[in-house]
Amino acid sequence: MKIIDVVCSRGRTGFYFDDQRAIKQGAGHDGVFYTGAPVTEGFSAVRQAGESISVMLVLEDGQIAHGDCAAVQYSGAGGRDPLFLAKDFIPLIDEHIKPHLVGREADNFRALAAMMESIQVNGKRLHTAIRYGLSQALLDAVAKATHRLMCEVVADEYGCTVAEEPIAIFTQSGDDRYLNSDKMIIKGAQVLPHALINNVKEKLGENGEKLKEYVAWLRDRILEHRADETYAPVLHIDCYGTIGQIFGNFNYGAMADYIEELGRIAKPFHLRIEGPMDCDSDRETQIEALSGLTRELDARGCDVELVADEWCNTLEDIKLFADAKAGHMVQIKTPDLGGVNNTIEAVLYCKEKGIGAYQGGTCNETDRSAQVCVQCAMATQPVQILAKPGMGVDEGYMIVYNEMERILAMRRAKKAAGK
């Protein structure tokens, strides 16, 4: 079945674009706003509304497949592609991408994704956000044209098996780490709360004492309010390199002592620490530091897991971190990888190497990108998937949970019908 038209519409995301460079240089807070002038090219304010583009592929039988182009909160920073604004990129899609798609058969996702990845405009690859949304639409188009679920297309083409049970959902709190943790406990989130520990003085503590207090509070809060004793979520805390800031990025002994203590405080719940250190210099230094700390914890028999995040943005990065055993788990930040074909390959590679795959992303996505990510996750079966978009907990959890349950229900119905 052929693609006969490509239609784009501008949209909003579930969060904001933030000028990370301006924030690091001291931009102040005024409610939800940041004060001061932006410094990164393309920004009109330090914080501005997140934008997306819906790409709709019209099939010759009238069906419409679609995906959403979206970029991470801190766009234009850390070597990422520039700020993604709809007014700049809809004309590019119409002029340079539409001619590649109209008349194409929607029969094989991997082939279409490879074609998409090869497109260049003025000698450059397509913006990661475009590849992200366009690949979602192509996957949906193949699924509609062949009367399969998107997860079934992925499973068939990549040689994996669609999950028969839900994937654990990881919810993120933002700075509201107390109130939002209550929401997570009520919802029964399997992994929580992220917690955004990105400042030593305010959140970790000069000696790590504030995070210890928070983990103890979170442990007691779950024990007090859980619906029953079977609810035992994983505690996953993102530390944004702050542990390395107070102990030293290569001081494995001191960092391991502290992380072991956090693990004891978290009991009876299992603990994961994301981003214990952030080596600003380069990727190789980050891999060296994280793999060294991983070995130290393993040698001690400590069951706290480390999660790679900083400097681990692309499919190539993820393979290098997995090969070096830099962490027990790797976050796969879906928009940064471009096409969802790369997310699929990243999850499968981590599983092949015995590294936990965390299919993540950003709060600055859309309902549609989250739904397609769930379809990919149900086929590749990572350890956990991020609830997204937004920072309100309820909305992102709902979108991811409901899409997962729809897949499970449809698969059961098809099986019962003998299809």
Side-chain angles (χ1 to χ4, degrees):
M1 187 177 298
K2 287 185 171 61
I3 299 168
I4 62 170
D5 201 4
V6 180
V7 181
C8 293
S9 64
R10 63 185 301 164
R12 293 296 195 195
T13 62
F15 205 63
Y16 308 98
F17 288 130
D18 288 342
D19 184 347
Q20 188 181 58
R21 287 176 58 210
I23 294 168
K24 286 185 174 181
Q25 291 177 20
H29 271 293
D30 178 14
V32 177
F33 298 95
Y34 281 102
T35 59
V39 297
T40 299
E41 184 179 355
F43 278 83
S44 57
V46 178
R47 167 166 281 178
Q48 61 191 74
E51 297 189 18
S52 64
I53 297 173
S54 286
V55 178
M56 293 165 279
L57 307 181
V58 182
L59 303 181
E60 57 186 330
D61 67 350
Q63 293 187 92
I64 300 171
H66 77 286
D68 279 356
C69 306
V72 297
Q73 174 187 3
Y74 296 122
S75 289
R80 294 188 177 98
D81 283 346
L83 188 65
F84 186 72
L85 301 178
K87 68 178 179 61
D88 296 331
F89 288 99
I90 287 178
L92 183 146
I93 294 171
D94 289 338
E95 180 179 354
H96 295 283
I97 299 174
K98 183 175 178 177
H100 286 274
L101 296 178
V102 173
R104 292 268 181 177
E105 289 284 348
D107 55 357
N108 184 284
F109 170 67
R110 294 186 78 166
L112 288 168
M115 177 274 297
M116 174 203 69
E117 296 278 3
S118 70
I119 296 174
Q120 293 192 350
V121 178
N122 298 323
K124 295 181 180 180
R125 296 182 73 187
L126 298 175
H127 194 292
T128 50
I130 293 177
R131 288 185 278 128
Y132 189 42
L134 182 55
S135 64
Q136 297 164 32
L138 291 171
L139 178 57
D140 190 26
V142 173
K144 284 182 164 63
T146 59
H147 305 289
R148 289 176 289 172
L149 300 175
M150 284 182 273
C151 58
E152 294 170 339
V153 173
V154 173
D156 290 344
E157 294 192 14
Y158 287 86
C160 43
T161 305
V162 178
E164 296 184 357
E165 299 292 335
I167 307 296
I169 301 174
F170 175 33
T171 45
Q172 56 182 341
S173 64
D175 271 327
D176 203 353
R177 63 187 60 80
Y178 291 93
L179 183 61
N180 277 341
S181 289
D182 285 354
K183 297 179 183 180
M184 298 168 186
I185 295 167
I186 292 171
K187 296 284 186 180
Q190 298 97 330
V191 188
L192 54 88
H194 185 270
L196 198 71
I197 307 299
N198 61 356
N199 183 281
V200 169
K201 184 177 180 180
E202 296 177 3
K203 300 173 184 179
L204 186 78
E206 299 290 352
N207 297 297
E209 72 281 355
K210 291 188 176 182
L211 180 54
K212 288 192 284 187
E213 291 168 4
Y214 176 71
V215 171
W217 174 87
L218 183 60
R219 173 203 65 205
D220 293 344
R221 197 70 171 169
I222 297 168
L223 292 172
E224 180 182 359
H225 290 283
R226 62 182 177 179
D228 57 66
E229 292 184 358
T230 64
Y231 178 57
V234 172
L235 310 188
H236 183 136
I237 310 289
D238 192 344
C239 292
Y240 289 84
T242 53
I243 295 175
Q245 280 182 253
I246 63 172
F247 294 111
N249 289 339
F250 287 90
N251 191 347
Y252 303 140
M255 283 194 290
D257 288 344
Y258 177 67
I259 290 170
E260 276 192 311
E261 186 174 3
L262 288 176
R264 288 192 292 269
I265 294 169
K267 297 301 181 188
F269 305 114
H270 182 62
L271 179 66
R272 292 192 184 117
I273 294 293
E274 182 174 348
M277 80 286 288
D278 183 3
C279 298
D280 292 330
S281 53
D282 57 68
R283 180 182 64 187
E284 284 64 35
T285 305
Q286 179 72 14
I287 289 173
E288 180 186 356
L290 189 55
S291 60
L293 182 57
T294 302
R295 288 193 299 272
E296 177 68 22
L297 290 175
D298 289 347
R300 295 181 179 209
C302 177
D303 69 350
V304 177
E305 293 180 284
L306 302 180
V307 184
D309 182 11
E310 281 81 17
W311 292 96
C312 190
N313 300 312
T314 67
L315 178 58
E316 178 192 8
D317 295 339
I318 289 163
K319 289 181 176 180
L320 290 172
F321 274 76
D323 289 344
K325 298 290 190 290
H328 303 94
M329 175 179 281
V330 173
Q331 186 193 168
I332 298 161
K333 289 174 280 193
T334 53
D336 280 340
L337 270 70
V340 294
N341 48 298
N342 294 320
T343 290
I344 292 164
E345 291 189 21
V347 173
L348 295 176
Y349 191 86
C350 286
K351 293 176 68 174
E352 177 187 332
K353 296 296 181 176
I355 298 292
Y358 154 30
Q359 188 183 298
T362 174
C363 53
N364 195 46
E365 294 192 47
T366 72
D367 54 340
R368 183 55 176 171
S369 67
Q371 289 167 348
V372 179
C373 282
V374 171
Q375 293 277 346
C376 295
M378 288 297 283
T380 58
Q381 300 189 43
V383 176
Q384 64 189 42
I385 181 173
L386 182 66
K388 57 187 184 181
M391 284 290 194
V393 177
D394 297 311
E395 300 85 355
Y397 185 85
M398 170 192 68
I399 290 166
V400 170
Y401 179 91
N402 289 356
E403 183 71 5
M404 205 175 295
E405 290 298 324
R406 282 190 285 266
I407 292 167
L408 292 169
M410 283 304 303
R411 295 271 297 170
R412 287 193 294 267
K414 291 169 73 171
K415 186 175 182 179
K419 294 182 181 179

